Amino acid sequence: MASPTDRHREGLTREEEELLDRQIRVWGVDTQCAIRDSVVSVVVLGDDLSFLGRTKAEIDATLRDMNPRCNLIVEVEEVAEGNQKPSERVLAAELIKNLTLAGIGNLRVSLVSDVSRLQCERSDVAIVFGTNLRETCEATELVAAKASTVLCSTVRGGCGYAFLRRHERGEARAGGVPLQTALLDVPAEDLPRRVNKMYGVLRAALAFERSEKAGGRAPGAADLDAVAELSQSEISLERHRPPLDLLRNYLETQAEMPAVSAVVGGSLAQEVIKAISGKGELMDNFYFFSAYGSPDSGEAKVELIRPKEARAT
Amino acid sequence: MSGTCSVSGAREACLGSRVLCVGAGGIGCELLKTLVLSGFSNITVIDMDTIEVSNLNRQFLFRRRHVGQSKAKVAREASLRINPKAKIVAHHANIKEDQFDVDFFKSFDCVLNGLDNLEARRHVNRMALAASVPLVESGTAGYRGQVTVHIKGETECFECQPKPIPKKYPVCTIRNTPDKPIHCIVWAKDLLFPRLFGGEAVGAEAEREDEGKNGGEDEGKDRSDIEVSERAEGQPAVEYGCVVLREVYGDAIARLAAVEDMWKDREPPTPLSSDVIAAGRAIVQGRARGGDDKVPTSASLALGLSDSHATWSAEQSAAVFLMAVEILLDGHADRVGKLGFDKEFPLSVDFVTAASNLRSHCYGIEPKSSFDVKGMAGNIIHAIATTNAIISGLIVLEAQKLLLRGLRQDDDGATLTPWTTFVQHNPTGGRLLQRIKPLPPNPKCYVCSKAQVVMEANTGLMTLGRLVDDVLRKALAFAEPTVTVGSTMHYECGDDLEEDERERYDALRKRSLGDLPGDPIGHGSLVQVEDFSQEMSVELLVCHREPREGEDPDFFEVKGEVKGQDGGRGGEDEPEGEGDSDSDDLCVVEEAVGEKRKGAGQEEPAKRQRAS
């Protein structure tokens, strides 16, 4: 991918400048041109984009109304009656809204329920949203083959996270480990001394999804004891284990707390713009935020978590 | 306790609560969306603004077809489409209006601010204190933002800490000795533009250093002493523009340059050459004219200068100047005499850019692009949707905690601690959101702690009018102050005053403090100031002193935690960059545009400056 500054010399029209004046003053014309010329792919493992709409027609109309200049593709997989996902994907809607307002020039939004049917196209940045961690890991690896920067993210209840995987010309960079590796294959001695408690929640939840008992499903409120047990066995050091209140909040519902989605969605959009523009320090590789339930709730923390051997590459 | 720290607990807190959203701009739009999605079903929103094109990059409830309409009303309609069950009341009004009194504020469980200016913030802070309603205050500037919770008696109020003072410039620098582009821009915007196209020249940013010294008799006087001939009947606008250029940039500059004493320590300015004016005129006359009779919307575009980031040559500036004069005088004849600078009106931006750059040319100052001039003249605060979205989420989280505190008296409190949270662009210590506990009330705060305010002034010179207007209204942000000393009421205001009372107070306004009848105000006087609209009172201790060497004879100095408006002292050494934005945002801290990504391990220094 050519650097944004090499590619974007056309400048902006007066109309674009008038419309985007306040943000051009923040990040400059070169970044605005890079945003306009970028290709971003958003994959949502779900079937409802909350305030942006439920159907392909609704979502398409809302986004075109918001930014008529965007080359927009919306794909919504037909879901059989009774198979719909239960919750609105507020976080995905937040990110898509933020990117559309920012002036992304080429945006593909795909709502799918079955990862195996996911069609990936080449893009500068791809973002995957899924409640089920196992499916999210799978989808992220699929899109990683076609995008330089891949992010995945979820909000469940009042708990949110985002994960970044970045490549340069098809090769994994330092830190470019898959989500599954970052969650399950990092020994305790390789973890930061004080890791955000959300990490333990995600690790236990993914371990649960991969367990025989779960059969691949994401844990719910009824699985609190099982997930709490896994947090003990999967995480060897007490200081890395999540408080029960935080686990409870994560498991209580698959619905998102919209305020948390607004926080994570805004941060995530900013990371996409950093990736496109090459300006700013990208989150590497985890971003955690929770509203309640833990001593570190209320602060958004970026933590680099990977096996020690991955750091040497 | 069950559900307290959970999604269901938070939703429970929202149901049945009544919240007031002040502002439906950048933060306000995001806030309304997050509120209705979170289950808040009883919302009142107030905003006096209408929608502009430059709002559309971040105020996502609005579309181009809404430009010119009420923000509050359009935001209400759009929010109802997200959650049709919500009950939303919208007021297209100023929050300072009488209808929004203390009883109005008392009818809410929580006040959520998404405001764009200090004056309104201070007013809402006082009303929330008077009504004992918690306030969630917020602000953004570019990548940075802040959310703070103000709870009466528990945390500091919005005015417990000093606020940045808006930048002002001495008139003598603006008129005679500019040395920075901003000086020329303020001159073009506040003095020349109103002189040619407006009514009274009222400089918002030029310091009133030579006014108000004569008992307020100069109030309203036209301060633009720029000598310009009137346009002769039938004189073509471009010809008139050339006359203005010769008089303002040629003759006046030459007269100034001849004052030798002024240029002992600096280079004198150079008058604009007639060649530059002739070249500018030739560009205007040689331009390609459109086939229709439409009045051009932009002088620079009409001349083919489409790159707003380019700086114009002196000849191009002269051409834009003449072109703007022609379009404004001939195409907007009905508005001439009433026009003021408007950053959203391209002709006024073109004119101020050209006029300031020509002045810069005379003084050897670097010129600026029209993009830069628009930002500087319009005090534009940078704004993006992402920061507003994050801030709205944080506001709602704090509001939910406040409401839960009311519901759950048995809670241990730890999880419902209110936070002040700072949004950062790059991680500092790994944190993109940094939280701290709000400070307790400041015992020196005259607003929430009833601390005494000390004012130093020359009581023989300061008039009651200046005390009311500049000290009480501007510096201390009273809306309707009454002034009492001992048993003598010197001043009160309001719509219910009798005609004879009004006349009496108008007469007293012109008298010096030491010359007031009954109980004059002198050294050691204790002045009781009350504002019934804000349910607030302050004791003002007056200390008379003579001005120090070099100080404005009609100085005043207010001591205590009261800064936030110009306290009678302006000048070159004040920080630059503060100003009200067009919409929702306030200055937190500047960050350089175009900063490249830092290498691993390079931490951005923490900049935890307080919003506004």
Side-chain angles (χ1 to χ4, degrees):
Chain A
M1 177 181 156
S3 80
T5 44
D6 291 340
R7 288 195 312 176
H8 315 298
R9 289 290 176 201
E10 286 176 30
L12 301 168
T13 64
R14 276 273 176 128
E15 189 191 9
E16 286 173 322
E17 285 215 348
E18 186 187 15
L19 183 68
L20 305 170
D21 180 271
R22 300 303 184 268
Q23 65 194 46
I24 292 169
R25 292 177 192 277
V26 176
W27 50 52
V29 173
D30 57 340
T31 292
Q32 192 60 56
C33 290
I35 292 169
R36 180 193 60 192
D37 296 346
S38 64
V39 180
V40 174
S41 177
V42 180
V43 174
V44 184
L45 302 177
D47 54 18
D48 185 327
L49 272 187
S50 182
F51 58 90
L52 294 183
R54 282 188 64 88
T55 65
K56 175 178 159 61
E58 282 175 3
I59 297 165
D60 194 273
T62 306
L63 295 178
R64 284 184 197 285
D65 202 20
M66 213 182 284
N67 179 4
R69 303 168 310 286
C70 181
N71 176 19
L72 176 70
I73 298 170
V74 177
E75 302 164 318
V76 178
E77 186 190 323
E78 292 292 328
V79 181
E81 196 70 31
N83 283 348
Q84 289 100 335
K85 302 275 179 178
S87 306
E88 297 179 15
R89 301 271 71 102
V90 184
L91 173 63
E94 287 282 355
L95 175 94
I96 293 165
K97 176 258 297 173
N98 290 333
L99 294 181
T100 305
L101 288 172
I104 291 288
N106 305 281
L107 180 63
R108 175 185 287 269
V109 177
S110 308
L111 275 69
V112 294
S113 60
D114 185 347
V115 180
S116 66
R117 290 192 213 161
L118 184 59
Q119 300 285 318
C120 301
E121 299 290 333
R122 190 159 291 283
S123 59
D124 298 320
V125 183
I127 309 101
V128 175
F129 295 97
T131 309
N132 181 306
L133 281 164
R134 198 181 48 81
E135 286 179 358
T136 305
C137 290
E138 203 178 318
T140 305
E141 287 314 294
L142 282 172
V143 299
K146 295 284 182 80
S148 312
T149 303
V150 182
L151 293 130
C152 56
S153 185
T154 295
V155 168
R156 268 190 68 152
C159 304
Y161 84 94
F163 178 79
L164 170 84
R165 190 167 183 208
R166 198 147 195 270
H167 301 259
E168 198 70 45
R169 300 181 197 285
E171 290 182 21
R173 273 164 45 119
V177 295
L179 174 60
Q180 184 164 312
T181 305
L183 279 178
L184 295 183
D185 301 335
V186 183
E189 59 271 22
D190 288 3
L191 289 172
R193 212 187 95 69
R194 284 181 180 275
V195 69
N196 189 284
K197 302 297 181 193
M198 271 297 298
Y199 176 77
V201 173
L202 296 174
R203 188 162 178 155
L206 180 56
F208 176 87
E209 289 177 22
R210 287 162 51 91
S211 68
E212 212 168 292
K213 179 186 171 187
R217 71 177 171 86
D223 303 308
L224 177 64
D225 291 343
V227 178
E229 208 171 289
L230 280 166
S231 76
Q232 298 286 321
S233 58
E234 283 288 322
I235 303 164
S236 56
L237 295 176
E238 177 61 35
R239 66 170 184 269
H240 293 148
R241 289 181 190 138
L244 198 59
D245 272 350
L246 190 64
L247 271 181
R248 189 180 287 118
N249 282 351
Y250 182 82
L251 298 174
E252 181 193 357
T253 173
Q254 291 199 12
E256 302 175 28
M257 188 183 270
V260 175
S261 302
V263 172
V264 180
S267 302
L268 203 53
Q270 200 49 58
E271 295 304 310
V272 173
I273 291 165
K274 284 184 196 172
I276 290 168
S277 66
K279 294 177 187 172
E281 190 179 335
L282 268 175
M283 63 166 72
D284 189 16
N285 51 4
F286 272 106
Y287 165 99
F288 300 111
F289 180 79
S290 62
Y292 310 108
S294 170
D296 50 21
S297 291
E299 63 184 22
K301 192 85 191 288
V302 174
E303 305 228 37
L304 180 57
I305 299 174
R306 59 188 173 188
K308 205 172 265 179
E309 62 265 27
R311 295 179 205 182
T313 57
Chain B
M1 171 88 186
S2 170
T4 295
C5 341
S6 64
V7 174
S8 56
R11 194 164 273 273
E12 180 190 339
C14 305
L15 291 171
S17 66
R18 285 176 53 103
V19 294
L20 171 62
C21 290
V22 191
I27 293 174
C29 281
E30 293 289 336
L31 181 57
L32 282 168
K33 170 261 300 168
T34 306
L35 285 171
V36 295
L37 286 171
S38 299
F40 284 87
S41 55
N42 201 329
I43 302 165
T44 296
V45 58
I46 301 174
D47 198 308
M48 65 187 288
D49 284 344
T50 53
I51 297 159
E52 295 176 355
V53 170
S54 62
N55 302 146
L56 303 179
N57 78 314
R58 61 198 185 285
Q59 299 175 20
F60 87 107
L61 298 178
F62 309 144
R63 301 289 182 266
R64 201 173 271 272
R65 60 183 172 276
H66 297 132
V67 169
Q69 296 182 37
S70 156
K71 284 188 176 181
K73 295 196 169 169
V74 175
R76 174 186 177 272
E77 298 303 319
S79 301
L80 284 174
R81 280 194 290 278
I82 295 171
N83 181 1
K85 291 178 185 167
K87 184 186 165 212
I88 305 174
V89 177
H91 295 276
H92 178 60
N94 187 337
I95 187 64
K96 293 181 79 175
E97 286 177 17
D98 291 345
Q99 59 174 316
F100 308 123
D101 58 12
V102 174
D103 285 339
F104 173 81
F105 275 77
K106 278 181 180 168
S107 67
F108 298 98
D109 298 301
C110 193
V111 179
L112 313 176
N113 261 1
L115 278 164
D116 67 347
N117 68 86
L118 190 57
E119 187 186 332
R121 281 189 167 94
R122 295 176 86 179
H123 178 77
V124 173
N125 178 51
R126 291 165 191 210
M127 300 306 280
L129 281 169
S132 297
V133 178
L135 167 66
V136 185
E137 178 60 78
S138 68
T140 67
Y143 295 117
R144 298 178 184 278
Q146 177 184 327
V147 172
T148 311
V149 180
H150 302 296
I151 306 169
K152 186 177 183 179
E154 186 177 330
T155 69
E156 62 179 359
C157 83
F158 177 72
E159 295 176 87
C160 276
Q161 302 290 336
K163 302 291 181 286
I165 299 168
K167 178 68 180 164
K168 300 220 178 213
Y169 304 95
V171 165
C172 62
T173 305
I174 301 301
R175 279 179 178 155
N176 302 327
T177 53
D179 57 19
K180 293 176 183 168
I182 185 66
H183 298 152
C184 299
I185 292 166
V186 170
W187 173 86
K189 174 190 143 192
D190 283 352
L191 300 182
L192 186 59
F193 186 90
R195 174 68 184 83
L196 295 178
F197 311 113
E200 289 177 354
V202 178
E205 292 173 58
E207 175 63 36
R208 289 169 176 253
E209 66 173 15
D210 55 355
E211 273 190 63
K213 297 174 187 170
N214 302 310
E217 288 166 7
D218 284 350
E219 286 177 4
K221 179 187 170 188
D222 182 349
R223 292 186 301 120
S224 173
D225 57 357
I226 297 173
E227 290 179 22
V228 181
S229 302
E230 295 303 315
R231 184 184 181 190
E233 200 172 323
Q235 184 180 28
V238 171
E239 294 307 317
Y240 175 63
C242 289
V243 170
V244 174
L245 285 176
R246 278 194 293 275
E247 289 180 347
V248 175
Y249 296 91
D251 304 344
I253 294 283
R255 281 198 300 276
L256 204 58
V259 183
E260 290 180 6
D261 284 354
M262 200 177 268
W263 312 110
K264 282 178 182 165
D265 301 321
R266 66 186 105 199
E267 284 294 311
T270 309
L272 191 67
S273 85
S274 54
D275 290 348
V276 171
I277 299 172
R281 183 181 180 174
I283 293 171
V284 172
Q285 289 173 337
R287 78 184 196 276
R289 289 171 188 275
D292 53 39
D293 295 332
K294 279 186 184 168
V295 176
T297 54
S298 158
S300 54
L301 273 184
L303 294 170
L305 299 168
S306 58
D307 184 356
S308 64
H309 297 268
T311 50
W312 303 328
S313 65
E315 291 79 6
Q316 287 172 324
S317 290
V320 175
F321 185 101
L322 295 173
M323 190 78 211
V325 167
E326 182 180 59
I327 299 170
L328 285 165
L329 291 184
D330 290 349
H332 297 270
D334 54 332
R335 297 170 67 191
V336 170
K338 294 173 277 189
L339 281 170
F341 175 80
D342 177 356
K343 60 184 178 292
E344 305 300 341
F345 183 39
L347 282 167
S348 64
V349 175
D350 277 340
F351 178 84
V352 169
T353 305
S356 60
N357 280 341
L358 286 171
R359 189 163 172 84
S360 293
H361 176 75
C362 295
Y363 280 87
I365 300 168
E366 57 164 329
K368 289 283 177 187
S369 69
S370 64
F371 182 84
D372 288 339
V373 171
K374 179 179 174 181
M376 294 162 87
N379 281 333
I380 293 175
I381 303 289
H382 312 169
I384 51 177
T386 50
T387 312
N388 289 336
I390 297 168
I391 289 295
S392 82
L394 293 171
I395 293 171
V396 173
L397 287 175
E398 293 302 330
Q400 287 173 332
K401 282 193 282 185
L402 287 169
L403 296 168
L404 278 166
R405 282 158 58 108
L407 290 175
R408 306 277 178 179
Q409 300 297 337
D410 57 335
D411 188 83
D412 61 12
T415 52
L416 300 179
T417 304
W419 293 111
T420 291
T421 309
F422 300 89
V423 179
Q424 304 177 115
H425 185 215
N426 293 316
T428 300
R431 289 170 182 82
L432 282 168
L433 299 182
Q434 176 76 56
R435 50 166 215 191
I436 59 168
K437 283 190 179 171
L439 296 170
N442 179 355
K444 292 181 180 173
C445 177
Y446 75 99
V447 177
C448 69
S449 296
K450 305 294 177 199
Q452 192 178 63
V453 174
V454 177
M455 181 192 74
E456 289 184 1
N458 183 343
T459 54
L461 192 58
M462 175 180 268
T463 60
L464 180 65
R466 180 156 161 83
L467 174 73
V468 169
D469 295 343
D470 293 341
V471 180
L472 302 181
R473 287 186 196 275
K474 285 187 184 170
L476 301 182
F478 281 97
E480 296 178 5
T482 63
V483 178
T484 308
V485 179
S487 59
T488 309
M489 179 176 283
H490 289 306
Y491 184 79
E492 62 182 325
C493 57
D495 295 337
D496 53 347
L497 287 179
E498 299 292 337
E499 191 57 34
D500 60 333
E501 289 177 311
R502 200 180 301 277
E503 285 172 8
R504 178 172 166 265
Y505 291 133
D506 282 347
L508 288 176
R509 281 176 58 92
K510 294 176 182 168
R511 295 174 74 159
S512 70
L513 299 183
D515 188 34
L516 290 170
D519 290 296
I521 300 174
H523 185 71
S525 291
L526 276 175
V527 180
Q528 301 297 327
V529 183
E530 284 185 283
D531 188 328
F532 296 106
S533 69
Q534 296 178 339
E535 291 195 4
M536 190 178 141
S537 62
V538 158
E539 193 174 66
L540 190 71
L541 174 63
V542 177
C543 295
H544 168 84
R545 72 167 170 82
E546 297 297 323
R548 300 189 181 103
E549 192 178 339
E551 195 173 31
D552 180 348
D554 198 14
F555 73 96
F556 71 83
E557 199 168 329
V558 181
K559 296 187 173 176
E561 307 294 347
V562 295
K563 285 186 181 174
Q565 291 286 344
D566 179 15
R569 293 178 300 170
E572 297 279 281
D573 54 349
E574 301 292 356
E576 284 189 48
E578 285 78 28
D580 287 347
S581 73
D582 63 321
S583 53
D584 48 75
D585 312 311
L586 78 168
C587 186
V588 179
V589 66
E590 289 293 321
E591 186 170 31
V593 171
E595 186 185 10
K596 287 287 174 187
R597 183 179 303 141
K598 292 170 183 160
Q602 276 184 279
E603 280 191 359
E604 189 178 48
K607 293 177 182 175
R608 281 203 236 152
Q609 294 191 14
R610 302 184 56 80
S612 183

